[in-house]
């Protein structure tokens, strides 16, 4: 797979992503068991050192996409107001699949390879997301959350070793001062008994470093200094992580123009930052074999009402209304229909019927080729995949008379609101939810919310999304999940009928 | 400029030797000097009243120094937003000025009912339209607090709504004491200016360089640290602090203990009527105790609040937990009736606008005068001069043939010879401290940069 010509040396470029300081001492001789990896002595990483080894362009992209999935999960969970604990669980699950990161105690794992991937993917994304202030801010926020999740789940002794290795140089409160302030320090920690203070050590830092603790009145303040007990060290570490990454991103942004000459990496980076904007979580695996449900041309209108996402519903409605769709719309819809399991024969029947104003001759000449092309039966015979949300959202903006695109992205607020009302009969508060998601550019979340509302009668709760809180990232996934829900319900109904008989049989057995 | 009342354009900011001469032009709104009375001079609907105040009395020079922290105009003044509230409800934002003179000229030209001070931006606010969005961001801003008497309506008994008396002011005194202590001791701020809002509130402006540079997040953290009274009208118990109390809460409680009997029990008589003490009894943690007190209070309808409070404090219980709960409850209630109630939204945002000191309150005509925390107890809001009073004093000065100044920025007569004087002098003294530190800070910076 890795042809010699594609072997790449991307280390020079990744070095650009570092925050400039090349001499930060990481080496720290441990008194405990020697770390498993010489290059990466700690599971946690402040990403101070840019990677210098060679990797392939494929690794460059794959690793970055894997990390992006985690970050996108965090972002969408945050945007849906999940608590930190919930996000921790979601990300923990995802990380196992895409980017496991084990502690030294995991004997059977190649920790060095895992940590290498973690480091490289971080720096690749740094390159991709340093381009605008908005992207930098988003990246900073999700990376800090990811770091916090890892920090909290880290092995305690290893975490200690990691924090010690960073040499933060925090001002430690001396014994005498601690003695003088005993009462206040204990009260700030909500200890009734001063003696419980025991050996707890305190750091003295500017209060602005620990705004979260100040907000909750969890630290003692004096003359602008916060006395942070070592058990609240997390706040300090996070603040430090954030500060350093912030500076690092700015340095990267300044150094970026030098990278623009690299023709191999630039498209990859562009693609990555686009993926982040569309909130892509994972690739839709397109399979031609449906789950037993044979789809025919006649079924499409009913299915559209039941299970199509709004973008496809709008194409269907336009097609019925104007008896025609323009090129981009046809392309988007055709591939989607292919994705739901409409065979090419049925597809031709479907489009032929829909284009009522067009003669057979014209249809065969102008459109049949198009449809067959989408099914990989003409021209280069490429088996095109249905378009993902990312492609639809960031693709060509619909012009006059065009109906493709993402309604949440491309409709005006007034139009969106009225379509939600006329097509879905949405009430005021639901519409408000969706519009507010749209306003903060979380189109996939708006779509997910609509899915939840549309399937509430099948027991889908708010925040559940496409199961386990997943958000919509592909129109076909929307459809598949919807069909699965209907199927589940049908099965439940039939099994309930048979239940009585079963129970009788059980009695006899017992 | 469109949208202005026509009279403004006719008035030019020229120097006039006496008030009488200002009326020479027939186009100008008139206020015949001979007929001038306190009533006509207090009529804020007459544009001439505010115009004269800006021209003669308003201390622009001092305001400039206060915002600029030094004599030479810096970005701290030139990039500062001023928003003008014109009398016809027109609101002009993003004004900025090169210096005090230019500002005075424009204020006199626009003749606003009042004006507000916003943040220092990365570009000149008046150039906002031609600047790139990225080049126009709020950077610096004093940390501000706003305490308004309306937030005390549920606990004050003397006045309601817009009214305010000396007794209400004691709530403000307590709030100022506590806030001042917190900001100085806990956050280490030194330059705190308190400004009477002209009717029933007070503002605080913190001008330490560190306070100016606070981000929105940090401002929010300070507000959360300070805020104790939570819950709206539907929430009876508004203070629910975890125990043991945070050191800052303990200190506040100590300070407030000195005021509680006088202000809450005597002045306001807060537990006199059944509906007043019933809400408190409903919150008592020990139900048996509450029942007993209810019987006692019902039997003695005329008893004073202080007596009732005394009964409430006495609890017969041997159980340590019950006693502790009761003690905590008493502390919470004391805080609920005395702890500062701040308008949190004002303080949280870097780019919030707040009325400038020395403006005239449109409802009362009083000057928004500065004061120090140490004076707040002796401060009498009803003794604050009104614009009408000041203009009459000037008028009498002119009638008696005294020098009435030239109306320039350095012209002191407008305030030196009127009852505005002590307030401007206090302001000057306060600003002097600020400027001195600004000079010291800049010297240190220079020294540091010289080392390299």
């Amino acid at each position: 797979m890795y042809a010699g010509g594609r072997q790449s040396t991307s280390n020079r470029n990744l070095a650009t992503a570092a925050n400039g300081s090349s001499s930060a001492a990481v080496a720290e001789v441990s008194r405990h068991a020697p770390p498993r990896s010489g290059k990466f002595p700690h599971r946690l990483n402040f990403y101070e050192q840019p990677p210098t080894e060679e990797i392939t362009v494929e690794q460059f992209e794959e690793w970055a996409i894997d990390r992006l999935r985690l970050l996108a999960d965090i972002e969408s969970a945050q945007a849906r107001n999940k608590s930190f604990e919930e996000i921790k669980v979601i990300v923990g699950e995802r990380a196992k699949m895409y980017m496991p990161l084990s502690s030294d105690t995991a004997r059977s794992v190649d920790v060095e390879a895992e940590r290498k991937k973690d480091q490289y993917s971080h720096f690749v994304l740094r390159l991709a997301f340093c381009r605008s202030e908005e992207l930098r801010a988003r990246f900073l926020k999700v990376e800090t959350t990811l770091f916090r999740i890892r920090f909290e789940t880290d092995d305690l002794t290893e975490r200690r070793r990691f924090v010690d290795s960073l040499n933060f140089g925090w001002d430690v409160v001396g014994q005498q001062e601690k003695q003088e302030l005993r009462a206040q320090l204990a009260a700030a920690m909500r200890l009734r008994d001063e003696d419980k203070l025991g050996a707890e050590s305190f750091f003295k830092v500017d209060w602005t470093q620990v705004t979260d603790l100040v907000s909750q009145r969890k630290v003692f303040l004096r003359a602008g200094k916060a006395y942070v007990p070592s058990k609240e060290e997390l706040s300090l570490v996070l603040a430090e992580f954030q500060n350093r990454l912030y500076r690092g991103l700015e340095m990267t942004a300044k150094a970026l123009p030098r990278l623009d000459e690299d023709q191999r990496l630039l498209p990859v980076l562009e693609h990555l930052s686009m993926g982040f904007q569309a909130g892509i979580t994972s690739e839709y695996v397109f399979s031609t074999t449906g789950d037993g449900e044979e789809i025919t041309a006649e079924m499409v209108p009913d299915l559209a009402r039941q299970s199509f996402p709004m973008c496809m519903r709008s194409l269907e409605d336009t097609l019925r209304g104007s008896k025609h769709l323009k090129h981009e719309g046809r392309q988007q819809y055709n591939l989607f229909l292919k994705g739901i399991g409409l065979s090419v024969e049925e597809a031709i029947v479907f489009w032929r019927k829909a284009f009522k104003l067009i003669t057979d001759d014209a249809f065969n000449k102008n459109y049949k080729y198009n449809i067959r092309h989408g099914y990989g039966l003409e021209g280069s015979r490429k088996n095109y995949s249905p378009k993902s949300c990312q492609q639809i959202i960031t693709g060509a903006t619909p012009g006059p008379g065009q109906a493709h695109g993402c309604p949440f992205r491309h409709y005006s607020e007034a139009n969106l609101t009225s379509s939600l009302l006329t097509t879905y009969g949405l009430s005021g508060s639901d519409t408000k939810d969706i519009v507010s998601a749209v306003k903060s550019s979380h189109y996939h979340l708006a779509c997910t919310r609509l899915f939840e509302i549309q399937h509430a009668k099948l027991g889908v709760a708010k925040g559940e999304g496409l199961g386990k809180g997943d958000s919509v990232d592909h129109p076909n996934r929307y459809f598949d999940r919807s069909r699965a829900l209907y199927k589940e319900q049908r099965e439940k109904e039939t099994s309930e009928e048979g239940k009585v008989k079963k129970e009788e049989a059980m009695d006899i057995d017992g | 400029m469109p949208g202005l009342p026509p009279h403004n354009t006719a008035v030019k900011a020229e120097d006039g030797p006496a008030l009488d001469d200002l009326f020479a032009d027939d186009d100008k709104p008139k206020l015949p000097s001979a007929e001038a009375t306190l009533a006509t001079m207090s009529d804020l609907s007459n544009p001439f009243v505010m115009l004269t105040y800006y021209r003669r009395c308003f201390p622009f020079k001092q305001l400039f120094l206060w915002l600029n922290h030094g004599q030479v105009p810096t970005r701290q003044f030139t990039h500062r937003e001023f928003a003008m509230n014109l009398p016809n409800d027109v609101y002009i934002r993003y004004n900025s000025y090169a210096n005090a003179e230019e500002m005075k000229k424009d204020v006199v030209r626009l003749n606003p009912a009042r004006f507000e001070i916003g943040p220092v931006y990365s570009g000149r606010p008046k150039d906002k339209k031609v600047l790139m969005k990225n080049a126009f961001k709020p950077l610096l801003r004093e940390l501000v607090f706003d305490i308004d008497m309306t937030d005390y309506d549920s606990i004050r008994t003397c006045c309601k709504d817009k009214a305010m008396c000396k007794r209400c002011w004691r709530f403000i005194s307590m709030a100022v004491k506590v806030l001042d202590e917190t900001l100085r001791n806990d956050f280490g701020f030194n330059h705190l200016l308190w400004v009477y809002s002209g009717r029933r509130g007070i503002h605080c402006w913190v001008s330490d360089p560190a306070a100016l540079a606070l981000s929105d997040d940090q401002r929010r953290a300070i507000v959360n640290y300070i805020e104790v009274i939570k819950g709206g009208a539907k929430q009876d118990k508004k203070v629910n602090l975890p125990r043991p109390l945070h050191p800052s809460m303990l200190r506040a409680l100590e300070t407030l203990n000195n005021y509680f009997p006088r202000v809450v029990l005597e002045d306001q008589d807060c537990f006199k009527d059944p509906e007043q003490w019933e809400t408190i009894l409903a919150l008592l943690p020990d139900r048996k105790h509450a029942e007993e007190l209810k019987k006692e209070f019902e039997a003695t309808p005329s008893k004073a609040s202080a007596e009732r409070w005394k009964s409430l404090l006495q609890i017969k219980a041997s159980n340590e937990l019950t006693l502790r709960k009761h003690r905590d409850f008493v502390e919470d209630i004391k805080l609920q009736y005395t702890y500062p109630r701040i308008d949190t939204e004002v303080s949280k945002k870097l780019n919030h606008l707040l009325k400038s000191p020395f403006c005239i309150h449109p409802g009362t005509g009083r000057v928004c005068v500065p004061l120090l925390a140490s004076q707040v107890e002796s401060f009498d809001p009803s003794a604050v001069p009104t614009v009408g009073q000041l203009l009459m004093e000037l008028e009498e000065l002119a009638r008696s043939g005294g020098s009435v100044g030239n109306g320039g920025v350095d012209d002191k007569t407008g305030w030196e010879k009127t009852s505005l004087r002590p307030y401007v002098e206090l302001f000057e003294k306060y600003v002097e401290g600020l400027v001195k530190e600004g000079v010291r800070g800049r010297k240190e910076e220079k020294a540091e940069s010289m080392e390299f």
Side-chain angles (χ1 to χ4, degrees), chain A residues 138-431:
Chain A
R138 282 170 73 177
F139 183 65
L140 189 66
K141 194 173 166 203
V142 285
E143 275 285 339
T144 309
T145 310
L146 181 63
F147 181 83
R148 182 173 166 200
I149 291 168
R150 288 171 168 178
F151 190 88
E152 288 193 359
T153 52
D154 203 19
D155 178 272
L156 286 181
T157 42
E158 284 177 39
R159 184 164 88 190
R160 187 74 260 142
R161 246 184 337 151
F162 170 71
V163 175
D164 289 345
S165 77
L166 290 167
N167 289 321
F168 285 125
W170 293 325
D171 198 356
V172 178
V173 177
Q175 271 307 315
Q176 201 194 336
E177 193 177 6
K178 187 181 154 192
Q179 206 55 39
E180 280 167 24
L181 299 173
R182 272 178 85 78
Q184 285 98 318
L185 293 176
M189 285 178 76
R190 293 184 196 155
L191 296 172
R192 277 189 192 277
D193 188 357
E194 284 174 34
D195 294 332
K196 282 197 186 134
L197 218 52
E200 182 78 59
S201 59
F202 289 84
F203 303 110
K204 196 157 67 170
V205 297
D206 279 340
W207 74 266
T208 47
Q209 289 287 304
V210 285
T211 46
D212 56 328
L213 297 178
V214 172
S215 265
Q216 302 167 60
R217 236 178 267 129
K218 272 188 170 170
V219 281
F220 172 61
L221 288 187
R222 192 165 74 168
K225 294 284 180 192
Y227 290 69
V228 185
S230 54
K231 77 171 177 112
E232 301 286 0
E233 172 182 70
L234 168 68
S235 298
L236 282 171
V237 175
L238 281 184
E240 199 68 41
F241 179 84
Q242 212 161 4
N243 287 344
R244 293 190 192 187
L245 181 54
Y246 179 79
R247 284 199 301 270
L249 281 168
E250 292 211 317
M251 301 283 288
T252 314
K254 280 179 196 147
L256 199 65
R258 272 189 279 152
L259 184 78
D260 280 351
E261 295 148 24
D262 198 318
Q263 290 303 316
R264 294 164 308 169
L265 301 185
L266 218 59
V268 177
L269 295 176
E270 289 281 347
H271 181 240
L272 286 173
S273 51
M274 253 157 57
F276 196 45
Q277 278 165 333
I280 216 72
T281 45
S282 26
E283 206 81 346
Y284 176 72
V285 188
F286 166 65
S287 63
T288 34
T289 50
D291 52 350
E293 209 175 2
E294 188 75 33
I295 310 262
T296 61
E298 289 93 78
M299 290 162 74
V300 172
D302 283 339
L303 285 174
R305 259 190 300 286
Q306 254 182 354
S307 298
F308 280 15
M310 196 170 175
C311 51
M312 301 304 167
R313 177 75 185 269
S314 126
L315 285 168
E316 171 68 20
D317 291 349
T318 314
L319 181 60
R320 296 293 147 206
S322 60
K323 323 265 184 275
H324 191 259
L325 274 183
K326 297 218 174 189
H327 178 75
E328 268 92 2
R330 284 201 306 273
Q331 208 182 15
Q332 182 176 329
Y333 200 31
N334 186 34
L335 290 176
F336 170 78
L337 292 174
K338 177 172 104 168
I340 70 171
L342 195 72
S343 67
V344 67
E345 293 78 22
E346 284 296 322
I348 290 168
V349 173
F350 171 81
W351 289 103
R352 177 65 283 241
K353 278 189 181 160
F355 284 11
K356 284 201 175 91
L357 309 176
I358 286 166
T359 62
D360 275 343
D361 203 26
F363 181 83
N364 286 338
K365 225 194 269 166
N366 300 329
Y367 300 104
K368 204 169 163 187
Y369 177 90
N370 238 214
I371 296 158
R372 288 174 51 81
H373 186 262
Y375 276 77
L377 301 169
E378 303 282 354
S380 61
R381 307 211 161 219
K382 198 172 165 220
N383 194 5
Y384 295 97
S385 289
K387 288 195 177 187
S388 69
C389 291
Q390 183 202 348
Q391 288 168 309
I392 293 171
I393 289 172
T394 57
T397 313
Q402 292 188 315
H404 69 277
C406 169
F408 304 102
R409 170 73 182 83
H410 298 122
Y411 279 25
S412 71
E413 193 188 319
N415 273 336
L416 181 62
T417 320
S418 73
S419 321
L420 285 172
L421 178 71
T422 51
T423 328
Y424 295 94
L426 283 202
S427 70
S429 73
D430 289 336
T431 309

